Amino acid sequence: RKRNKTEDFGTGFSSISHLKHLPVDFVKIDSSFIAALGHGAVDRAIVESLNDIAHRLGVRTIAEG
């Protein structure tokens, strides 16, 4: 029998939840996310989302790798 699992995504020690409180000018997107760009729409959406969140907070992004 399959169990449904839930997760408090974006809370606790998540990098995304800390981003809005840190006084930073740049966020570096890890190379593991960049390397996965060619592997499908989900991987691309993750990178696009990270970039969008940073820009909405007035933070510039750097793609590692």
Side-chain angles (χ1 to χ4, degrees):
R1 194 167 115 163
K2 191 174 185 181
R3 292 183 178 197
N4 292 327
K5 294 184 179 182
T6 61
E7 179 182 336
D8 293 333
F9 183 79
T11 62
F13 292 106
S14 170
S15 298
I16 294 174
S17 69
H18 288 297
L19 183 59
K20 69 180 185 178
H21 301 291
L22 294 174
V24 297
D25 296 320
F26 294 90
V27 170
K28 181 169 59 175
I29 299 175
D30 190 78
S31 62
S32 64
F33 292 110
I34 303 306
L37 278 175
H39 295 111
V42 172
D43 295 309
R44 183 175 174 87
I46 290 170
V47 173
E48 288 175 348
S49 296
L50 292 170
N51 190 55
D52 185 52
I53 290 167
H55 288 178
R56 288 175 187 262
L57 292 169
V59 177
R60 295 167 75 186
T61 55
I62 300 170
E64 184 180 42

